[in-house]
Amino acid sequence: MKIPVRTALVLAAAPVLCSVLCPAPALAAAKPAADPWTGRAEATYGSLQKHLYQGPENHGLYQEKTPQQSTDNAHSFLWPMREAAAATVDMAGLPKAGNAYRADAAERFATLERYFEPRDGRPGYDSYLPAPLGQGGDVFYDDNSVVGLSLLDQYRSTGDTAYLGRAEQTFDIVSRGWDDDASKTCPGGMDWVDSPSNTTRAANVTGLAAELAARLYQVKHESRYLRSAEKWYGWNRSCLRQGPGLYRNSRGDDGTVDTTLWTYNSGAMVGTATTLYLATGDHSYLKRAVADAGASLAYWKQGDRLHDQPAIFNAIYFDNLRILNGVRPDPAYRQVESAYAERIWKENRDPSDGLFRFQPSGGGDYNPSAPAETLEQSAMVQIFAGLATDRS
């Protein structure tokens, strides 16, 4: 369970050094486990490593999908790589079994640094590998926000301040995304991508960036993190909130609103509010978190709404419900997550290789002709490991 750090620690930022973060990789084999969720997490991680991990000879990178096509990039984009890293941190947190995955987790974060481009004045984690391994890509602020959150998870897991320092640097990257053009409808919000052509201020990056800022404030107690978390969280509530727990996808600079609803936007707002409560003691944030969690769960569990969401969005949603559950327990959170996980295990997993296949959206019914992807396989590792770790 990825609960943010609870103890007030004032730690100095430190650069990520390969001598610290590059131990020899380990491929942990799945073992029989008494807890069924632990067994499923280990089996799913084992299939991820067997079929999608490209090995130390390929810099610890992953394929985007399998089977790999001739038109595919040689390696995955940043987002799947981040989710593989997040999944491995979760594996390292498994009760009793976690120690076997700690070296793997360290390797994932060393590999993530291969996506970092220190370009003049506007550094960031590129959407694809910069030279010499790739052609580079844009800096998407949602990608960089989730990288920062995973760095904090790894810091919490290891106590290594190098990860905390890197998360702080990622916050600085993401902060560039705030749109301060007062002439736009509902001024503010976070741009989706660092590009002059960007025309979208999105709920995902704004909510995830707010969560990153809130968690950094919880650790560092620096006012800049609190100011940012409250401002970014507040913009989503003011400008994209459809109702309790439900947040529209984005606002265009032309005033249009994309009303699509996604589970991870619900989750990021629950996690941010819970963390702001923990960090400040302000009960209004806890009240909002509980209201958003209850209303969003009531909406998403209807029919196939949850099933049809991308698996990775659901992984982020459930992760944030677990954060709230650690403060204000509600058995409904686990009931819905475990029912979803049971269905996906039974209906979307190919027993012959242990890989999960979905519709092109990344969710929905099993599609036997679809490739299996690092993104969704990592999402299911996260969900199973979360259920194994948080049994409340």
Side-chain angles (χ1 to χ4, degrees):
M1 178 179 179
K2 293 185 283 188
I3 299 175
V5 182
R6 305 289 173 88
T7 307
L9 299 174
V10 181
L11 302 169
V16 175
L17 301 175
C18 195
S19 61
V20 176
L21 303 184
C22 300
L27 176 59
K31 304 172 184 176
D35 173 64
W37 295 118
T38 298
R40 290 176 180 183
E42 293 199 307
T44 303
Y45 179 80
S47 294
L48 172 71
Q49 295 302 94
K50 180 178 180 180
H51 297 287
L52 289 154
Y53 174 64
Q54 295 180 300
E57 65 275 14
N58 280 295
H59 313 286
L61 292 159
Y62 284 81
Q63 295 174 202
E64 187 82 6
K65 57 192 174 185
T66 186
Q68 196 169 30
Q69 305 298 310
S70 60
T71 55
D72 293 343
N73 287 323
H75 311 289
S76 81
F77 286 97
L78 171 63
W79 187 20
M81 182 67 229
R82 181 271 175 180
E83 299 309 334
T88 314
V89 175
D90 288 347
M91 294 299 294
L94 286 173
K96 299 181 181 179
N99 284 340
Y101 301 94
R102 291 189 178 276
D104 282 19
E107 187 208 67
R108 296 299 101 81
F109 285 90
T111 302
L112 269 176
E113 291 306 306
R114 296 187 179 278
Y115 290 81
F116 187 79
E117 173 59 65
R119 61 178 60 79
D120 291 344
R122 302 187 77 83
Y125 291 89
D126 280 8
S127 58
Y128 192 66
L129 291 153
L133 295 177
Q135 70 276 14
D138 290 318
V139 173
F140 286 87
Y141 291 123
D142 53 343
D143 287 354
N144 279 258
S145 295
V146 292
V147 167
L149 288 168
S150 283
L151 285 162
L152 285 176
D153 288 333
Q154 179 70 346
Y155 162 67
R156 183 187 64 83
S157 177
T158 65
D160 188 337
T161 58
Y163 297 111
L164 175 60
R166 200 61 169 170
E168 292 190 272
Q169 293 171 24
T170 304
F171 168 84
D172 293 336
I173 295 165
V174 172
S175 296
R176 300 198 312 256
W178 180 255
D179 193 320
D180 58 4
D181 185 346
S183 68
K184 293 178 181 176
T185 304
C186 215
M190 305 291 285
D191 289 343
W192 180 43
V193 61
D194 186 9
S195 169
S197 63
N198 179 82
T199 59
T200 298
R201 294 164 288 154
N204 63 349
V205 58
T206 308
L208 292 164
E211 186 168 9
L212 174 62
R215 288 185 57 183
L216 282 167
Y217 177 70
Q218 192 179 19
V219 178
K220 299 286 290 184
H221 290 281
E222 294 182 10
S223 60
R224 65 184 180 126
Y225 296 132
L226 179 59
R227 288 195 305 269
S228 295
E230 291 182 326
K231 179 170 68 172
W232 301 343
Y233 172 84
W235 186 85
N236 260 6
R237 280 185 63 87
S238 297
C239 295
L240 288 174
R241 184 173 182 263
Q242 177 173 298
L246 301 176
Y247 294 84
R248 301 179 181 96
N249 182 69
S250 59
R251 276 190 174 271
D253 290 348
D254 60 0
T256 59
V257 177
D258 180 345
T259 60
T260 308
L261 302 174
W262 302 109
T263 47
Y264 73 150
N265 290 335
S266 299
M269 294 297 281
V270 170
T272 301
T274 305
T275 305
L276 284 170
Y277 162 70
L278 290 169
T280 67
D282 186 339
H283 281 265
S284 68
Y285 284 117
L286 180 59
K287 183 178 180 180
R288 290 178 181 180
V290 171
D292 272 4
S296 65
L297 206 66
Y299 176 85
W300 290 115
K301 71 181 183 181
Q302 292 181 35
D304 281 338
R305 284 174 177 168
L306 189 63
H307 178 71
D308 289 344
Q309 284 282 297
I312 190 56
F313 291 2
N314 290 340
I316 294 171
Y317 178 57
F318 291 131
D319 184 54
N320 282 286
L321 290 182
R322 284 194 293 274
I323 294 172
L324 175 59
N325 195 61
V327 179
R328 182 64 64 82
D330 186 333
Y333 306 152
R334 183 178 178 88
Q335 289 167 3
V336 173
E337 181 179 13
S338 59
Y340 170 81
E342 286 281 6
R343 180 177 179 183
I344 297 300
W345 177 266
K346 292 176 181 177
E347 297 182 7
N348 290 73
R349 178 177 178 269
D350 185 341
S352 69
D353 56 18
L355 295 172
F356 291 82
R357 291 175 171 83
F358 298 88
Q359 296 299 308
S361 65
D365 294 338
Y366 177 72
N367 182 351
S369 64
E373 301 197 25
T374 294
L375 191 64
E376 285 86 41
Q377 193 74 13
S378 299
M380 297 314 301
V381 173
Q382 293 172 39
I383 289 171
F384 297 142
L387 286 165
T389 304
D390 175 22
R391 300 176 184 175
S392 58

